[in-house]
Amino acid sequence: MVLLSVLSNILASLEPFTRGHRELLTDMILTPFLDGAIIESDEQRIQNQRERKLIPVILKIWIGCFQIQQSIFKKLPLQYRDYCAWALAKFDRLLLPSNPDIGVLRYKDCYYGFRNKQAATEFPQKPDGFICLVADGAKRNPELIQLLELHTQFASIT
């Protein structure tokens, strides 16, 4: 009963926010942007990119990139809870899951997954910059610290 009560209170407190979005973003406003767009689920997007695997390229900071099997990917402790580090930084905290078929980058004893080839090739060029952008985004939205498991990065903040 307590759990249902808590969930009910959460839904009731979030309802005003959804109402505002429905009023601002009506179907008439959104339709021109969605014409011809194919909206894929995360599973469909990963499946479509299976054939297009990343061919590792030698870059100055390319510390280590390797392709791994799906079963190993689930066990690997990826940064940002398996979300694409590049997308988090590039698209202002957009949470897109990483694709195990693209590959994994090891940088400073941390593993990073990526959603596509572009992400996997741009991130190693300036990894510290992307990591700082994610940290700045988490400072602006503290709920990301918990969601992305950034406790060690923010350990000195009380």
Side-chain angles (χ1 to χ4, degrees):
M1 294 274 288
V2 173
L3 180 60
L4 288 175
S5 174
V6 169
L7 289 174
S8 177
N9 289 339
I10 290 171
L11 287 173
S13 63
L14 291 175
E15 199 275 329
F17 297 107
T18 61
R19 191 179 327 119
H21 284 259
R22 274 187 245 128
E23 292 170 1
L24 289 173
L25 302 172
T26 62
D27 287 339
M28 186 171 52
I29 292 172
L30 291 177
T31 302
F33 295 105
L34 297 176
D35 282 344
I38 299 171
I39 300 173
E40 298 178 332
S41 68
D42 291 333
E43 291 82 19
Q44 290 169 331
R45 181 183 46 76
I46 288 172
Q47 186 63 34
N48 290 342
Q49 291 192 4
R50 288 247 154 116
E51 300 81 38
R52 297 176 270 164
K53 294 186 177 192
L54 176 68
I55 299 168
V57 286
I58 305 300
L59 298 172
K60 290 179 191 168
I61 322 186
W62 195 262
I63 305 304
C65 179
F66 51 93
Q67 293 176 345
I68 53 177
Q69 296 174 344
Q70 186 100 15
S71 60
I72 298 171
F73 182 75
K74 297 290 182 193
K75 296 176 186 173
L76 198 62
L78 291 180
Q79 287 294 104
Y80 311 128
R81 289 188 67 177
D82 300 346
Y83 290 107
C84 177
W86 177 83
L88 282 165
K90 191 85 169 179
F91 299 117
D92 195 25
R93 303 174 310 272
L94 179 64
L95 298 172
L96 293 173
S98 51
N99 183 347
D101 292 328
I102 297 295
V104 173
L105 173 74
R106 181 172 178 240
Y107 180 72
K108 293 185 178 177
D109 294 328
C110 295
Y111 297 96
Y112 298 90
F114 305 101
R115 65 181 284 263
N116 58 25
K117 289 182 184 181
Q118 179 184 4
T121 54
E122 283 185 24
F123 185 86
Q125 294 173 4
K126 299 182 271 180
D128 290 323
F130 284 107
I131 293 167
C132 286
L133 286 173
V134 173
D136 290 342
K139 288 176 190 174
R140 290 192 309 270
N141 295 83
E143 64 274 8
L144 288 177
I145 296 171
Q146 178 71 28
L147 177 69
L148 302 176
E149 296 176 348
L150 298 174
H151 308 304
T152 55
Q153 229 174 338
F154 295 97
S156 61
I157 299 173
T158 58

